[in-house]
Amino acid sequence: MNRRELIKFFSVAQVGGVLLNGIALPSTYGAPYSPSATKRDLIKELGLRTFINAAGTYTAMTASLMHDEVIEAIKSSSKHFVMYNEVQDKVGEKIAAICHAEAAMVTSGCWSALVLGTAAALTGMDKQKIALLPNVQSFDKNEVVVQKAHYHDYFHALTNTGIIPVQVETPEETEKAINSKTALMFFLNESAPMGKIQCEEWLMLAKKYQVPTMIDIAADIPPVHNLWKYTDMGFDLVCISGGKAIRGPQSAGMLLGRKDLIAAARLSAPPNGNNIGRGMKVNKEEILGMYAALERYVKQDHDKEWKQWEAQIALIQRAVEEIKGVNALVSVPPIANHTPTLSISWDADLVKISRRELQQKLRNGNPSIEVVGKNGNAIQLTVFMLQPGEEKILARRLREEFSRAVV
Ligand SMILES: *Cc1c(COP(=O)(O)O)cnc(C)c1O
């Protein structure tokens, strides 16, 4: 085929699916992109299961849905070239102002914020040190002090930089553990209730020995004021997920903190190379999307939203409690995923269905529904990731399945 024949071939190919060298092509192959004409739905085309998310902001479930303002920021910025560092500069200033921080940067999720924040504490602006990470044996400071209860899976982000974790439990142990090799003191906010030292005391100890501090508050928004609570309190670095309740792009996060540390963290991140963070890229669309999401989030009416969540939870609670043997209890986790949560449990003698069976039936039903099931005859659900009206579907589907299981 020559060029002209090929063009002709493709213009015909737009009408129906065709075979090119034995490869099936979609009917839109070769057609110029035109959103209104094509309206391709890749989720349908690829046969991906969509579902009502009554579980929460789980990474495996793609966490959250972006609001129109965020999509608009992504779409409009995708048509232009800009300098990467300028986007980070400008967005960083805006985020810092919102979060009462000296400086800020958009990272590739909270996880990268943890890596880059640790890197900053280790290297400062020293390019030789930046290039050495994760080989930090020769550094005068390469230890991170952490409470045993805070030494969790996500700590892997810190160990990625090569640091040596030093685990402590009490204030006395902490004071003994801090020495000339201490680069950072780390606090995992969601583990605060399990630790012996709370964040104020942790900060006091760090200030006493002039050690920088970093806190992971990834999923601890809402409440909205947590966005500035820990910077106000005096943490040098604060790490937050952008794609959880703030509903920014799933792959975005934020690192807030001291100006010198954010400047150092940026040297370990794109567009710079020969560093530990070169692979932790966030594109300009996501950086701007993160800002649009944060701005929208702080402006929204949080009291109104909370009341709406309570009403949605109450509706589901009433629906399932009508069934004999089913109990539904509302609670709010104090830290992390701080949102009304419904725990539904049932008496196995009256309602014959296992947790796994119920989850399968909800998952395989129409529409598909995801809830959390950890142990026993119980499931947990939240409503903060629901689309308007989905609470009614949830209530109906739960009542249906429980009613069928009644003996
Ligand atoms: C979700 C989470 C992370 C990772 O955040 P991403 O934004 O997914 O990178 C880190 N720490 C805690 C406590 C989290 O809940």
Side-chain angles (χ1 to χ4, degrees):
M1 256 186 246
N2 64 28
R3 209 180 111 81
R4 186 178 291 161
E5 278 169 348
L6 201 67
I7 290 167
K8 212 170 133 196
F9 174 84
F10 277 135
S11 59
V12 175
Q14 285 170 38
V15 181
V18 292
L19 281 167
L20 180 63
N21 294 333
I23 303 163
L25 298 171
S27 57
T28 49
Y29 191 87
Y33 177 69
S34 154
S36 53
T38 52
K39 280 263 188 278
R40 248 179 113 177
D41 183 343
L42 287 176
I43 287 190
K44 265 203 186 125
E45 213 176 285
L46 302 179
L48 292 167
R49 176 174 68 97
T50 61
F51 51 86
I52 292 178
N53 180 4
T57 55
Y58 286 87
T59 300
M61 297 184 192
T62 58
S64 66
L65 300 179
M66 295 178 278
H67 285 293
D68 290 345
E69 290 93 327
V70 180
I71 299 297
E72 200 40 58
I74 289 172
K75 258 174 82 174
S76 60
S77 59
S78 72
K79 305 289 180 200
H80 307 281
F81 285 101
V82 289
M83 294 307 284
Y84 192 90
N85 275 333
E86 282 181 27
V87 192
Q88 280 284 23
D89 284 346
K90 296 271 187 216
V91 169
E93 268 174 41
K94 294 284 187 190
I95 293 178
I98 292 171
C99 301
H100 305 187
E102 268 180 34
M105 69 185 286
V106 178
T107 57
S108 166
C110 179
W111 207 88
S112 295
L114 294 167
V115 178
L116 298 173
T118 309
L122 286 166
T123 66
M125 303 298 279
D126 186 333
K127 291 217 169 114
Q128 263 175 330
K129 281 186 169 170
I130 287 166
L132 276 172
L133 255 54
N135 298 311
V136 296
Q137 296 91 333
S138 62
F139 287 25
D140 36 323
K141 292 181 196 294
N142 58 17
E143 293 181 359
V144 174
V145 180
V146 56
Q147 290 182 74
K148 211 173 196 163
H150 295 222
Y151 187 69
H152 259 279
D153 289 358
Y154 292 113
F155 199 84
H156 203 128
L158 284 82
T159 46
N160 253 26
T161 64
I163 57 98
I164 301 155
V166 180
Q167 294 184 56
V168 295
E169 284 190 89
T170 62
E172 296 71 41
E173 275 175 33
T174 309
E175 293 207 52
K176 262 196 214 138
I178 298 170
N179 62 49
S180 63
K181 301 216 74 152
T182 311
L184 184 71
M185 285 172 67
F186 173 69
F187 197 92
L188 174 58
N189 203 43
E190 71 168 6
S191 290
M194 277 75 83
K196 293 198 170 80
I197 309 168
Q198 295 311 302
C199 52
E200 292 86 351
E201 190 176 7
W202 192 249
L203 271 178
M204 255 173 45
L205 288 164
K207 298 263 182 264
K208 183 170 168 188
Y209 297 96
Q210 297 181 340
V211 178
T213 46
M214 181 165 82
I215 187 167
D216 175 350
I217 60 163
D220 306 346
I221 289 135
V224 62
H225 64 246
N226 276 0
L227 282 168
W228 45 84
K229 178 176 171 182
Y230 300 95
T231 27
D232 283 350
M233 202 184 270
F235 276 92
D236 297 301
L237 290 163
V238 180
C239 308
I240 309 174
S241 284
K244 291 178 181 169
I246 302 170
R247 296 175 66 168
Q250 186 186 8
S251 41
M254 298 183 291
L255 178 64
L256 321 171
R258 253 168 48 194
K259 209 170 187 153
D260 60 322
L261 289 172
I262 298 299
R266 280 185 54 185
L267 292 182
S268 273
N272 303 298
N274 195 16
N275 56 28
I276 201 161
R278 180 58 179 83
M280 301 173 190
K281 188 156 52 189
V282 209
N283 61 41
K284 67 168 184 297
E285 292 84 356
E286 290 171 317
I287 297 174
L288 292 161
M290 182 71 251
Y291 167 48
L294 179 70
E295 201 178 41
R296 184 192 194 280
Y297 184 75
V298 293
K299 277 185 190 156
Q300 79 189 44
D301 187 339
H302 296 276
D303 290 335
K304 190 175 148 197
E305 187 181 49
W306 191 274
K307 287 198 181 95
Q308 188 189 322
W309 289 342
E310 283 182 330
Q312 288 172 307
I313 285 270
L315 180 124
I316 302 163
Q317 184 184 26
R318 280 195 304 272
V320 295
E321 275 185 340
E322 279 172 19
I323 296 149
K324 205 170 164 234
V326 177
N327 265 304
L329 218 100
V330 188
S331 65
V332 178
I335 316 173
N337 302 303
H338 177 76
T339 177
T341 304
L342 193 65
S343 295
I344 306 173
S345 59
W346 56 96
D347 183 338
D349 292 332
L350 301 172
V351 184
K352 292 275 185 212
I353 190 164
S354 74
R355 163 173 49 88
R356 278 175 200 281
E357 277 175 306
L358 177 60
Q359 277 187 290
Q360 273 307 323
K361 285 190 154 70
L362 293 173
R363 186 170 293 141
N364 296 336
N366 186 18
S368 181
I369 295 168
E370 288 289 341
V371 296
V372 174
K374 290 181 194 131
N375 39 43
N377 273 331
I379 56 163
Q380 289 80 37
L381 60 89
T382 59
V383 294
F384 73 138
M385 286 298 121
L386 296 189
Q387 307 263 64
E390 286 181 344
E391 71 279 6
K392 295 194 188 88
I393 303 172
L394 261 170
R396 173 175 62 75
R397 286 291 296 123
L398 284 164
R399 203 171 42 208
E400 264 171 24
E401 292 304 338
F402 281 128
S403 306
R404 278 183 202 144
V406 171
V407 286

